[in-house]
Amino acid sequence: MIAYLSGRLVFKDPTYVIIDVGGMGYQVKISLQTYAKIKDEEQIRLLTFLHIKEDAHTLYGFKEEVEKRLFLLLISINGVGPNTGLMILSSMSSEEIEHAILSGDVGTIQAVKGIGAKTAQRIILELKDKVGKSSSGDLTTPLGFLKSSNKIREEALQALITLGFPKAVAEKNIAQVLKKTTGEISLEDLIKASLKTP
């Protein structure tokens, strides 16, 4: 359908971007992996997947082929919808997901919000032979920000709420992560750690 979008990055949030393509603004849901790789590019090209439901047409975007491939594999599993697929890709890097699947690490996959034991087992069982066939790109972490920054805390809170966390739970998770963090933490790392906080 829509294989990719190439245009001007108008707006960037940890959970979605808006891309201006020839005067039309496309809102595209993204994972933290893609958010971290976009940095502050003005011109952007995202590989996309269009999910069509009766009441909504939703675009999902990926900076790299390996992430899109993993996403498509994940949503092929019964019980894993696009939003859950994005949640998994936001909680771990592509390499970590592939490693967890290949090593049969149910606990790591189950640690993602919304994934139960049966779904985690199904992901491992059905994808074991399909992942790891393409090498993942180099994952670079952007420079950290001071953990005391209220802006980072606010953006992380908004991202978690968008991902379906109740505000009180999101605030508690962020506070727990910041309490354990010494020095600096980037927005991506703060959201990732908060997603994994029980």
Side-chain angles (χ1 to χ4, degrees):
M1 194 81 169
I2 300 173
Y4 68 87
L5 289 176
S6 189
R8 187 169 60 87
L9 182 62
V10 178
F11 179 81
K12 182 179 88 160
D13 177 88
T15 56
Y16 75 95
V17 292
I18 296 173
I19 303 172
D20 182 322
V21 183
M24 277 183 74
Y26 290 88
Q27 184 169 321
V28 186
K29 285 191 167 192
I30 58 168
S31 72
L32 280 174
Q33 285 190 46
T34 289
Y35 176 80
K37 290 190 180 86
I38 291 170
K39 308 240 174 27
D40 291 316
E41 295 173 20
E42 276 186 36
Q43 291 297 315
I44 186 174
R45 182 178 185 271
L46 287 185
L47 302 165
T48 54
F49 169 76
L50 177 62
H51 181 64
I52 298 175
K53 287 196 304 188
E54 276 181 31
D55 57 346
H57 288 204
T58 311
L59 270 171
Y60 294 84
F62 314 91
K63 194 80 174 97
E64 293 180 349
E65 184 64 51
V66 66
E67 189 190 2
K68 181 179 179 181
R69 186 174 159 274
L70 252 182
F71 175 80
L72 294 175
L73 286 173
L74 287 166
I75 66 170
S76 72
I77 305 296
N78 189 16
V80 180
N83 288 334
T84 304
L86 216 57
M87 182 78 80
I88 296 169
L89 290 164
S90 289
S91 301
M92 296 177 267
S93 69
S94 296
E95 286 92 338
E96 287 168 337
I97 296 165
E98 288 184 352
H99 182 265
I101 291 169
L102 292 170
S103 62
D105 187 350
V106 176
T108 296
I109 294 171
Q110 204 183 329
V112 178
K113 181 184 182 282
I115 301 284
K118 280 185 179 169
T119 305
Q121 286 163 356
R122 206 179 297 129
I123 288 171
I124 289 167
L125 190 70
E126 293 184 32
L127 299 186
K128 211 163 194 169
D129 296 334
K130 297 177 183 174
V131 303
K133 287 176 184 171
S134 65
S135 60
S136 301
D138 179 39
L139 277 177
T140 52
T141 307
L143 289 173
F145 300 93
L146 287 175
K147 70 165 187 168
S148 57
S149 166
N150 283 332
K151 187 172 183 288
I152 298 295
R153 185 189 280 256
E154 265 312 302
E155 286 186 20
L157 180 61
Q158 273 311 113
L160 290 177
I161 291 168
T162 305
L163 288 167
F165 279 77
K167 191 178 180 191
V169 175
E171 284 174 338
K172 182 172 73 76
N173 288 9
I174 290 167
Q176 280 182 344
V177 173
L178 292 176
K179 203 173 168 186
K180 292 181 205 158
T181 307
T182 52
E184 297 182 341
I185 187 166
S186 70
L187 177 59
E188 297 80 45
D189 290 339
L190 176 55
I191 297 169
K192 257 188 200 177
S194 300
L195 284 172
K196 291 179 182 172
T197 303

